Amino acid sequence: MASVIENLQSAAQMEASLAGQYQLDVQTMRYAGIKWVSHFLKKFYADAECWLRDYIMERMTELGAELTYQADAVVYNGGVKDIMTLALKNESAVLTAYEGFYEQAMEKDGHTAHLFQHLIKWRARHVAKLRAQLALIAGLGESSYIGGRLDD
């Protein structure tokens, strides 16, 4: 059970890190006047906060685990493409980690395995959305991608 708790603590750290990065990215896009990208990223921020608080920390509490984690430092990225690229990299890394956590939990704790199964599904949706946005940026160019929706 110790490895399940360690994986939950790692998941808490990853979700907190994603939330912190998205919070900075939301502010960066808002200050740049690109509100629709800010709103897009704000949903990802809200998801990370929710999944950390309502699922991961709740499960840690149920298992009697220590609720400690240290979020990674956030990184300033000025452009939309850079922000989306970093988000895809981070989301993909978390998704890969969760797949491993799921496999380990299957052997020891079905409830936690079920939680990771949902987190994998939700993170995979984020990855798909980010890939779609990056494909649009690649096809249109960053300035056309931004300019096409400035009225939103």
Side-chain angles (χ1 to χ4, degrees):
M1 191 61 86
S3 65
V4 170
I5 291 172
E6 289 171 7
N7 289 345
L8 285 166
Q9 289 170 327
S10 293
Q13 180 266 329
M14 288 184 246
E15 292 296 336
S17 297
L18 284 172
Q21 185 63 51
Y22 285 133
Q23 190 173 34
L24 175 64
D25 295 341
V26 165
Q27 294 299 324
T28 301
M29 290 295 95
R30 184 178 303 149
Y31 293 143
I34 311 170
K35 291 182 184 177
W36 71 271
V37 174
S38 176
H39 293 298
F40 175 84
L41 295 170
K42 190 172 185 179
K43 171 70 171 114
F44 285 19
Y45 163 73
D47 286 346
E49 284 281 311
C50 174
W51 299 340
L52 171 61
R53 179 189 62 243
D54 296 345
Y55 298 102
I56 295 168
M57 293 188 77
E58 180 178 313
R59 185 65 185 141
M60 290 170 67
T61 301
E62 290 169 355
L63 294 174
E66 190 174 330
L67 300 175
T68 60
Y69 56 88
Q70 178 68 39
D72 294 336
V74 297
V75 178
Y76 174 77
N77 290 293
V80 173
K81 183 179 178 184
D82 293 337
I83 286 173
M84 297 284 193
T85 300
L86 179 63
L88 177 60
K89 177 184 165 218
N90 291 341
E91 290 277 352
S92 296
V94 170
L95 179 59
T96 299
Y98 285 0
E99 289 167 345
F101 296 166
Y102 168 76
E103 292 297 325
Q104 291 175 18
M106 281 295 293
E107 300 169 6
K108 297 177 179 158
D109 179 23
H111 186 78
T112 302
H114 185 72
L115 167 63
F116 279 119
Q117 190 174 32
H118 283 288
L119 291 168
I120 289 166
K121 176 179 67 174
W122 297 331
R123 285 279 163 229
R125 287 181 187 156
H126 281 197
V127 167
K129 289 177 183 180
L130 288 163
R131 284 186 177 143
Q133 295 305 306
L134 283 166
L136 284 171
I137 292 169
L140 299 171
E142 189 169 348
S143 61
S144 294
Y145 172 82
I146 294 167
R149 300 242 344 235
L150 277 181
D151 294 332
D152 291 346

